[in-house]
Amino acid sequence: SESPVFNFFTGELTELAALVTLVTQDLHRLKDHIQASDKSLARDSLTMRDDLIANKIPKSWKREFLASVELDQWVMELLRKQEHCGRVLSNESSKEIKVALGLVICPESFFIATKQWTALLGSHSIDELVMRIDLSSSSSASSNLSFVLTDLFIEGGLLSADGLVKSNNIYDEVPVLRFCWVKRDVLEKDTAVRKSIQLPLYQDGSRRRIITSLPIPISKSVLEPDTFYESGCALYTSRS
């Protein structure tokens, strides 16, 4: 495929598949040693056996993009990420691509790929494209290539079809958030576009890793948008 987005997910799936292959090979090798009653197991095999018994992740399997600390949860996280890549790649012909950012290895590169794809399809310069957020729960009739972010969370605010409003909850779910890339001059001339505020999108609630910022439309009922900055309003791909 010539799509930067699907090339991106193909690369992610390749990386995940390589890790699955490593895990499978290590387990087969350890199984063969144990079945052969091999009492001269190498130190790394002994360590791996002890780790597996204790539900710990063997050192050679650890990756930054897998945050789970216990083996059973780590395996489930790995499989979820792999299945997610497969689902995205199976919808290559769709004009609306659904992505759970919490299951993406490198979400920063995903956003870059979406912008590159839009520029390629429209013969635009990347520099003239800006992001437009759509908070409606249903797909629009727009001819623009669009992307749907699922399973996000927000702190310090609440998102509805009307826009961003204040919330007293610690966290609120953001089931669906659509975005597309449009030419800057087109967006500036669009009278239907509401005022927006740039909110940071973090990997999780620790706020250690920022992915990007998103231009979130503000509800007309909000008179003082700066209060969202003062309260530390932010989006997360995962709460934990």
Side-chain angles (χ1 to χ4, degrees):
S1 169
E2 295 182 358
S3 158
V5 170
F6 288 99
N7 288 342
F8 164 77
F9 278 105
T10 298
E12 293 228 336
L13 189 59
T14 299
E15 185 169 355
L16 292 166
L19 180 55
V20 171
T21 299
L22 171 66
V23 170
T24 302
Q25 291 174 343
D26 283 348
L27 291 176
H28 280 308
R29 185 162 50 248
L30 186 60
K31 176 185 174 184
D32 290 343
H33 282 309
I34 292 173
Q35 287 183 337
S37 299
D38 188 347
K39 301 186 184 301
S40 59
L41 284 176
R43 177 173 293 181
D44 58 344
S45 294
L46 286 170
T47 301
M48 180 171 292
R49 181 198 63 186
D50 294 343
D51 284 343
L52 296 177
I53 292 172
N55 198 30
K56 294 181 179 179
I57 306 163
K59 186 176 180 180
S60 61
W61 297 0
K62 291 182 178 180
R63 299 292 187 275
E64 285 188 9
F65 57 79
L66 293 169
S68 300
V69 294
E70 294 187 342
L71 180 61
D72 53 352
Q73 297 172 352
W74 183 91
V75 170
M76 293 304 299
E77 184 183 357
L78 173 58
L79 293 177
R80 283 198 304 271
K81 280 178 162 52
Q82 192 176 36
E83 290 170 0
H84 175 256
C85 275
R87 284 198 302 273
V88 174
L89 289 169
S90 69
N91 292 319
E92 185 168 359
S93 60
S94 174
K95 280 198 66 181
E96 190 172 78
I97 314 302
K98 291 186 178 182
V99 174
L101 278 184
L103 297 176
V104 174
I105 295 175
C106 187
E108 298 91 339
S109 296
F110 164 72
F111 283 107
I112 293 171
T114 63
K115 194 173 186 179
Q116 290 173 334
W117 195 12
T118 304
L120 186 64
L121 290 177
S123 299
H124 303 308
S125 163
I126 287 181
D127 294 336
E128 63 182 345
L129 294 177
V130 293
M131 183 183 289
R132 179 175 182 173
I133 297 286
D134 178 7
L135 298 177
S136 63
S137 59
S138 59
S139 58
S140 67
S142 170
S143 60
N144 291 322
L145 176 68
S146 64
F147 306 90
V148 180
L149 304 180
T150 64
D151 306 320
L152 298 179
F153 297 89
I154 186 169
E155 180 181 2
L158 179 66
L159 292 182
S160 67
D162 185 50
L164 178 66
V165 295
K166 294 296 291 182
S167 172
N168 293 323
N169 298 333
I170 298 177
Y171 291 105
D172 284 289
E173 293 184 4
V174 185
V176 172
L177 191 153
R178 287 179 171 79
F179 76 91
C180 63
W181 296 96
V182 298
K183 292 181 67 175
R184 188 185 306 275
D185 60 343
V186 172
L187 188 67
E188 290 172 350
K189 294 175 184 176
D190 191 343
T191 56
V193 175
R194 283 171 293 181
K195 287 184 63 176
S196 63
I197 185 171
Q198 291 285 339
L199 291 186
L201 172 63
Y202 293 96
Q203 183 179 31
D204 54 47
S206 71
R207 300 196 178 201
R208 285 194 293 266
R209 176 184 173 187
I210 187 169
I211 296 168
T212 188
S213 62
L214 301 176
I216 303 297
I218 305 170
S219 170
K220 293 178 181 178
S221 65
V222 174
L223 301 178
E224 297 180 356
D226 285 350
T227 57
F228 290 110
Y229 290 129
E230 294 166 3
S231 63
C233 187
L235 292 152
Y236 307 120
T237 68
S238 170
R239 284 194 301 177
S240 56

